[in-house]
Amino acid sequence: MNADWEQRVAEVWNSFEAYEEDRAAEFRALIDELAAELPEGDPRGLFERACAFDSTGHSDRAVPLYQEALERGLGGYHKQRAVIQLASSLRNVGRADEGVALLTPELAGPPNELDDAVRAVLALCLADLGREREGLALVLGTLAPHLPRYQRSMARYARALVEPVPS
Protein backbone atom coordinates (compact mmCIF):
# COMPACT_ATOMS: atom_id res chain seq x y z
CA MET A 1 0.00 0.00 0.00
CA ASN A 2 1.22 3.47 -0.78
CA ALA A 3 -0.03 7.05 -0.87
CA ASP A 4 -1.18 6.67 -4.48
CA TRP A 5 -3.30 3.63 -3.63
CA GLU A 6 -4.74 5.38 -0.57
CA GLN A 7 -5.60 8.42 -2.71
CA ARG A 8 -7.34 6.29 -5.33
CA VAL A 9 -9.36 4.50 -2.64
CA ALA A 10 -10.34 7.86 -1.15
CA GLU A 11 -11.40 9.13 -4.59
CA VAL A 12 -13.65 6.11 -5.16
CA TRP A 13 -15.24 6.57 -1.73
CA ASN A 14 -15.66 10.30 -2.35
CA SER A 15 -17.61 9.42 -5.49
CA PHE A 16 -19.91 6.99 -3.66
CA GLU A 17 -22.98 9.24 -3.89
CA ALA A 18 -22.77 9.10 -7.68
CA TYR A 19 -23.57 5.38 -7.56
CA GLU A 20 -27.31 5.03 -7.09
CA GLU A 21 -28.75 1.69 -6.02
CA ASP A 22 -28.81 0.45 -9.60
CA ARG A 23 -25.05 1.16 -9.87
CA ALA A 24 -24.00 -0.43 -6.56
CA ALA A 25 -22.36 -3.38 -8.32
CA GLU A 26 -20.29 -0.93 -10.37
CA PHE A 27 -19.11 0.78 -7.19
CA ARG A 28 -18.18 -2.56 -5.60
CA ALA A 29 -16.27 -3.50 -8.75
CA LEU A 30 -14.15 -0.35 -8.45
CA ILE A 31 -13.29 -1.25 -4.85
CA ASP A 32 -12.59 -4.86 -5.89
CA GLU A 33 -10.14 -3.63 -8.53
CA LEU A 34 -8.25 -1.59 -5.95
CA ALA A 35 -8.28 -4.45 -3.42
CA ALA A 36 -6.93 -6.78 -6.11
CA GLU A 37 -3.79 -4.64 -6.33
CA LEU A 38 -2.88 -5.80 -2.84
CA PRO A 39 -1.56 -9.27 -2.00
CA GLU A 40 -4.18 -12.01 -1.72
CA GLY A 41 -5.85 -11.87 1.70
CA ASP A 42 -4.42 -8.46 2.61
CA PRO A 43 -6.49 -7.22 5.56
CA ARG A 44 -6.88 -3.73 4.13
CA GLY A 45 -8.24 -5.07 0.86
CA LEU A 46 -10.69 -7.27 2.76
CA PHE A 47 -11.73 -4.27 4.84
CA GLU A 48 -12.38 -2.07 1.78
CA ARG A 49 -14.41 -4.83 0.15
CA ALA A 50 -16.43 -5.29 3.35
CA CYS A 51 -17.10 -1.55 3.48
CA ALA A 52 -18.29 -1.60 -0.12
CA PHE A 53 -20.74 -4.44 0.54
CA ASP A 54 -21.89 -2.78 3.75
CA SER A 55 -22.41 0.61 2.13
CA THR A 56 -24.44 -0.90 -0.69
CA GLY A 57 -26.85 -2.77 1.56
CA HIS A 58 -25.19 -6.17 1.84
CA SER A 59 -24.31 -6.47 5.51
CA ASP A 60 -24.56 -10.25 5.22
CA ARG A 61 -21.67 -10.29 2.72
CA ALA A 62 -19.69 -7.68 4.67
CA VAL A 63 -19.62 -9.62 7.96
CA PRO A 64 -17.24 -12.43 6.90
CA LEU A 65 -14.94 -9.94 5.16
CA TYR A 66 -14.70 -7.72 8.25
CA GLN A 67 -14.06 -10.80 10.38
CA GLU A 68 -11.32 -12.04 8.07
CA ALA A 69 -9.69 -8.60 7.89
CA LEU A 70 -9.55 -8.50 11.69
CA GLU A 71 -8.27 -12.08 11.90
CA ARG A 72 -5.52 -11.25 9.41
CA GLY A 73 -4.26 -8.37 11.52
CA LEU A 74 -5.97 -5.21 10.30
CA GLY A 75 -4.55 -2.57 12.60
CA GLY A 76 -4.83 0.96 13.90
CA TYR A 77 -7.58 3.28 12.85
CA HIS A 78 -8.92 0.82 10.27
CA LYS A 79 -9.15 -1.91 12.91
CA GLN A 80 -11.41 0.21 15.09
CA ARG A 81 -13.50 1.19 12.09
CA ALA A 82 -13.81 -2.49 11.18
CA VAL A 83 -14.98 -3.36 14.70
CA ILE A 84 -17.60 -0.60 14.63
CA GLN A 85 -18.79 -1.49 11.15
CA LEU A 86 -18.79 -5.22 11.87
CA ALA A 87 -20.91 -4.64 14.96
CA SER A 88 -23.33 -2.56 12.90
CA SER A 89 -23.50 -5.23 10.20
CA LEU A 90 -24.03 -7.95 12.80
CA ARG A 91 -26.93 -5.90 14.14
CA ASN A 92 -28.35 -5.58 10.62
CA VAL A 93 -28.34 -9.37 10.21
CA GLY A 94 -30.00 -10.03 13.57
CA ARG A 95 -26.90 -10.69 15.65
CA ALA A 96 -26.93 -7.58 17.86
CA ASP A 97 -25.64 -9.58 20.84
CA GLU A 98 -22.38 -10.16 18.97
CA GLY A 99 -22.23 -6.44 18.19
CA VAL A 100 -22.51 -5.63 21.90
CA ALA A 101 -19.74 -8.12 22.68
CA LEU A 102 -17.47 -6.51 20.08
CA LEU A 103 -18.11 -2.91 21.08
CA THR A 104 -18.19 -3.12 24.86
CA PRO A 105 -14.38 -3.51 25.16
CA GLU A 106 -13.94 -0.48 22.88
CA LEU A 107 -15.43 1.70 25.63
CA ALA A 108 -12.36 1.01 27.78
CA GLY A 109 -9.83 1.96 25.10
CA PRO A 110 -7.99 5.25 24.93
CA PRO A 111 -10.21 8.13 23.75
CA ASN A 112 -10.22 8.96 20.04
CA GLU A 113 -12.41 10.45 17.31
CA LEU A 114 -14.35 7.20 16.87
CA ASP A 115 -15.66 7.08 20.46
CA ASP A 116 -19.02 8.63 19.55
CA ALA A 117 -19.48 6.13 16.72
CA VAL A 118 -18.72 3.24 19.07
CA ARG A 119 -21.38 4.46 21.48
CA ALA A 120 -23.95 5.16 18.76
CA VAL A 121 -23.67 1.68 17.24
CA LEU A 122 -23.58 0.08 20.68
CA ALA A 123 -26.78 1.98 21.57
CA LEU A 124 -28.48 0.61 18.44
CA CYS A 125 -27.37 -2.94 19.29
CA LEU A 126 -28.66 -2.55 22.84
CA ALA A 127 -32.00 -1.24 21.57
CA ASP A 128 -32.34 -4.26 19.28
CA LEU A 129 -31.84 -6.47 22.33
CA GLY A 130 -34.61 -4.71 24.28
CA ARG A 131 -32.13 -2.73 26.35
CA GLU A 132 -33.32 0.68 25.20
CA ARG A 133 -32.65 2.45 28.51
CA GLU A 134 -28.99 1.44 28.36
CA GLY A 135 -28.82 2.57 24.74
CA LEU A 136 -30.45 5.90 25.51
CA ALA A 137 -28.09 6.39 28.46
CA LEU A 138 -25.14 5.87 26.13
CA VAL A 139 -26.49 8.31 23.57
CA LEU A 140 -27.28 11.00 26.15
CA GLY A 141 -23.90 10.54 27.82
CA THR A 142 -22.22 10.90 24.43
CA LEU A 143 -24.28 13.92 23.44
CA ALA A 144 -23.91 15.80 26.75
CA PRO A 145 -20.35 17.13 26.21
CA HIS A 146 -21.35 18.52 22.80
CA LEU A 147 -24.22 20.63 24.14
CA PRO A 148 -23.75 24.38 24.61
CA ARG A 149 -25.63 24.12 27.94
CA TYR A 150 -27.08 21.44 30.22
CA GLN A 151 -24.06 19.14 30.01
CA ARG A 152 -24.16 18.19 33.70
CA SER A 153 -27.91 17.69 33.70
CA MET A 154 -27.85 15.45 30.65
CA ALA A 155 -24.96 13.43 32.06
CA ARG A 156 -26.91 12.95 35.31
CA TYR A 157 -30.05 11.95 33.40
CA ALA A 158 -28.04 9.45 31.40
CA ARG A 159 -26.69 7.84 34.57
CA ALA A 160 -30.14 7.79 36.14
CA LEU A 161 -31.51 5.76 33.22
CA VAL A 162 -29.34 2.78 34.16
CA GLU A 163 -28.85 3.17 37.93
CA PRO A 164 -30.99 0.98 40.13
CA VAL A 165 -34.08 2.71 41.47
CA PRO A 166 -33.83 3.16 45.27
CA SER A 167 -36.44 1.17 47.16
Side-chain angles (χ1 to χ4, degrees):
M1 235 168 324
N2 59 40
D4 173 65
W5 187 87
E6 294 283 352
Q7 178 62 36
R8 290 183 291 132
V9 168
E11 287 170 4
V12 171
W13 280 105
N14 287 337
S15 72
F16 179 74
E17 296 301 322
Y19 294 89
E20 300 295 329
E21 286 184 31
D22 61 332
R23 295 182 63 206
E26 186 181 339
F27 175 80
R28 289 190 306 270
L30 292 172
I31 294 295
D32 279 341
E33 287 174 23
L34 289 163
E37 294 178 22
L38 302 175
E40 178 80 24
D42 183 279
R44 182 63 189 281
L46 293 164
F47 171 73
E48 295 297 339
R49 290 181 63 229
C51 293
F53 276 117
D54 212 0
S55 296
T56 58
H58 296 279
S59 294
D60 58 324
R61 296 188 63 189
V63 166
L65 292 169
Y66 284 135
Q67 290 171 325
E68 188 176 354
L70 290 166
E71 289 166 8
R72 289 183 177 262
L74 185 67
Y77 180 75
H78 291 98
K79 177 183 179 182
Q80 190 174 28
R81 282 186 55 205
V83 169
I84 293 165
Q85 292 167 209
L86 172 57
S88 178
S89 292
L90 287 166
R91 175 187 162 269
N92 288 338
V93 297
R95 294 163 52 189
D97 55 329
E98 293 176 54
V100 169
L102 271 173
L103 291 173
T104 300
E106 294 293 315
L107 296 174
N112 65 46
E113 71 269 13
L114 294 175
D115 287 349
D116 291 350
V118 168
R119 286 171 174 79
V121 174
L122 181 54
L124 289 168
C125 290
L126 289 167
D128 280 10
L129 295 172
R131 296 164 58 186
E132 294 89 353
R133 289 181 71 86
E134 288 175 70
L136 180 57
L138 266 174
V139 170
L140 282 176
T142 300
L143 176 63
H146 301 283
L147 298 174
R149 297 188 52 87
Y150 315 111
Q151 296 93 346
R152 287 189 306 272
S153 297
M154 287 303 135
R156 269 196 320 275
Y157 295 149
R159 285 190 303 276
L161 284 167
V162 291
E163 289 175 352
V165 177
S167 42

